[in-house]
Amino acid sequence: MSEKKASNVSNTLKAVLKSNTMLFILVGVMILFEILIRITGHGSLFAPANVTNIIRQNAYVAILATGMLLCILTGGNIDLSVGSVVALVGALAGVFIVNWGWPIWLAVIACLILGTAIGAFHGFFIAYIHIPPFITTLAGMLLWRGVATIVLDGRPIAPFPQKYLNLFESYLPVSTDATYEKFGDIELFDEWVDKYTLMITLIVTLIAILAYVILEIVSRRNKIKKNYTVQSRGSFIAKLVVLSIVIFIIGQFLARDRGLPVVLILLGVIIAVYSYFTQNTVPGRYLYAIGGNEKAARLSGVNTKNVMFFAYTNMGFIAAVAALVTIARMNSAQPTAGQNYEMDAIASCFIGGASAYGGTGTVGGAVVGAIFMGVLNNGMSILGVDMNWQRAVKGMVLLAAVIFDVVSKQKKATKKKA
């Protein structure tokens, strides 16, 4: 019996390590950076303000990665135009809000519709005219960047009204000057704000953990009812514990700074919606089916054209959301905005476990990949690493992730033949 228990524990640990490999690597890299930063006397990677900055500065990558993942799932396809779409939608937002004085809600809706229309434009040529995604989106990258420069006439538009900035650049809970009048003493007021922020942020963090655990349990039960393959109970519980601890740690860092960034709440909603869509809906599973074997999926009755059209239309919508976040962070619409955003999003997906051949990957993995990229950027910047070396390191990391995917698939294919 003791041998069986030991074997079960060993198998569970292996399963946890295998299913959360990238998460453990991320933690290891963060610890390594923390040691190097402290040794060199540059502060701390885990300073609450720095953790907040990592989230704010890389939210657009995680947002784009969720949309890019859907494209990659369809067979390793990518969208090279997202950076240019970010620039164009940002430029239009600047014109609508700053130059023309539109109501903010109307400008936001118009930008989302225009971004979705651009995605549909790409999707039409890819899905129904059968132009390869690489060529279509490469053309889009050049086209929309040019249009963005024309719209802005080569000059940035700034600043944006504070009401717009508050949509993406504020923090919760929000404190007001009216509260200060009750205290009269600025020191007492600051102390109260710190305690209030800490308490509310930790409560929201615990609610988020509880919601995550409940949704994962419900999702697992539904998959079991449908006879899907699921993780063992031990590895599933271990996964919940590990990720819950990670969420709590992030929450307490934010609680000791300025509270929850609004952009993090937006990102959380996007992750939850797309995770549910890809894992628990029929249209979401079609994406995996096409990536696994497009011909078999088509013969099984899946309308592969409509699925491809949806994937790229959705990518346009997600790029528009990223554009609205980006211009709020920069407080300006610039013709150079969004440069290399597509590379960051693609790299995040592959680093997070998406297969270069399609059919494999999760939204959570893509987000972990985006955080990994953000930690690399932030850690190397704090250490004063030259920008050229930063690009070289990120290139090597991406190559290593793809090599790992290809080698793993080759080993599985060899085992099946044997």
Side-chain angles (χ1 to χ4, degrees):
M1 289 293 291
S2 61
E3 290 182 1
K4 283 186 178 180
K5 286 182 178 179
S7 177
N8 288 336
V9 170
S10 177
N11 290 334
T12 299
L13 288 174
K14 287 180 180 178
V16 172
L17 287 171
K18 187 176 180 181
S19 59
N20 297 284
T21 302
M22 197 60 229
L23 187 60
F24 288 116
I25 292 174
L26 172 61
V27 172
V29 169
M30 293 179 75
I31 293 172
L32 175 61
F33 271 124
E34 175 68 7
I35 293 170
L36 293 174
I37 290 169
R38 284 191 177 273
I39 289 174
T40 55
H42 287 93
S44 172
L45 181 72
F46 296 121
N50 193 51
V51 173
T52 300
N53 288 335
I54 290 175
I55 293 171
R56 289 178 55 246
Q57 292 169 5
N58 296 278
Y60 75 89
V61 181
I63 292 170
L64 289 173
T66 59
M68 190 66 71
L69 177 70
L70 269 60
C71 298
I72 291 173
L73 288 177
T74 61
N77 300 308
I78 57 176
D79 190 334
L80 294 174
S81 69
V82 294
S84 298
V85 175
V86 167
L88 175 57
V89 174
L92 293 172
V95 171
F96 295 157
I97 297 172
V98 179
N99 291 357
W100 294 356
W102 282 16
I104 291 172
W105 64 268
L106 179 60
V108 168
I109 292 173
C111 288
L112 293 176
I113 291 173
L114 288 168
T116 305
I118 291 172
F121 176 80
H122 295 156
F124 172 77
F125 288 105
I126 292 167
Y128 302 114
I129 309 300
H130 302 293
I131 298 175
F134 182 89
I135 301 300
T136 301
T137 57
L138 177 62
M141 179 176 71
L142 300 173
L143 171 62
W144 307 125
R145 177 69 63 182
V147 175
T149 305
I150 292 169
V151 169
L152 293 173
D153 195 23
R155 297 188 298 269
I157 295 177
F160 280 76
Q162 189 60 43
K163 286 185 179 179
Y164 177 78
L165 300 181
N166 288 341
L167 291 177
F168 303 104
E169 283 295 296
S170 58
Y171 298 84
L172 294 177
V174 179
S175 300
T176 64
D177 292 335
T179 311
Y180 167 68
E181 296 174 1
K182 298 178 181 178
F183 289 84
D185 189 322
I186 189 65
E187 291 183 2
L188 287 176
F189 174 69
D190 289 340
E191 183 180 347
W192 178 84
V193 168
D194 290 341
K195 289 181 179 179
Y196 179 68
T197 300
L198 179 68
M199 179 182 66
I200 297 298
T201 305
L202 289 179
I203 289 173
V204 173
T205 300
L206 292 174
I207 292 173
I209 292 171
L210 181 62
Y212 163 72
V213 171
I214 292 173
L215 289 174
E216 284 293 311
I217 292 173
V218 171
S219 176
R220 176 182 165 81
R221 286 181 178 177
N222 290 336
K223 288 179 180 178
I224 291 173
K225 286 180 181 179
K226 296 175 182 177
N227 295 320
Y228 289 168
T229 302
V230 296
Q231 294 174 304
S232 66
R233 182 178 295 179
S235 60
F236 175 72
I237 293 173
K239 172 190 170 185
L240 291 182
V241 171
V242 169
L243 291 178
S244 295
I245 291 172
V246 170
I247 294 171
F248 181 78
I249 291 173
I250 294 173
Q252 66 87 24
F253 278 128
L254 297 175
R256 289 191 287 126
D257 187 32
R258 286 163 285 182
L260 290 169
V262 172
V263 71
L264 179 61
I265 297 173
L266 171 64
L267 180 57
V269 171
I270 292 173
I271 293 171
V273 170
Y274 280 87
S275 293
Y276 181 84
F277 173 77
T278 54
Q279 298 296 320
N280 297 284
T281 67
V282 174
R285 302 310 299 179
Y286 283 167
L287 295 164
Y288 289 91
I290 292 175
N293 190 323
E294 183 177 355
K295 185 176 180 181
R298 186 168 59 253
L299 293 174
S300 299
V302 177
N303 191 325
T304 56
K305 292 181 179 180
N306 287 352
V307 174
M308 287 291 289
F309 178 77
F310 165 77
Y312 281 89
T313 301
N314 174 76
M315 187 69 253
F317 169 78
I318 287 293
V321 175
L324 296 173
V325 170
T326 299
I327 60 174
R329 181 172 63 86
M330 299 169 62
N331 196 14
S332 67
Q334 302 180 10
T336 57
Q339 286 187 342
N340 295 324
Y341 280 18
E342 60 277 352
M343 301 305 172
D344 288 337
I346 294 167
S348 298
C349 291
F350 289 137
I351 291 171
S355 173
Y357 303 104
T360 302
T362 63
V363 172
V367 173
V368 170
I371 296 172
F372 186 87
M373 294 288 288
V375 169
L376 276 182
N377 288 332
N378 188 266
M380 289 190 289
S381 296
I382 293 174
L383 290 171
V385 177
D386 183 74
M387 186 60 69
N388 294 320
W389 278 107
Q390 290 188 33
R391 293 193 186 100
V393 169
K394 288 191 286 185
M396 290 300 296
V397 169
L398 174 58
L399 181 61
V402 176
I403 289 173
F404 179 79
D405 172 56
V406 172
V407 171
S408 298
K409 280 198 166 11
Q410 289 176 346
K411 284 183 178 179
K412 287 181 182 178
T414 303
K415 285 182 180 180
K416 286 182 179 180
K417 288 181 180 178

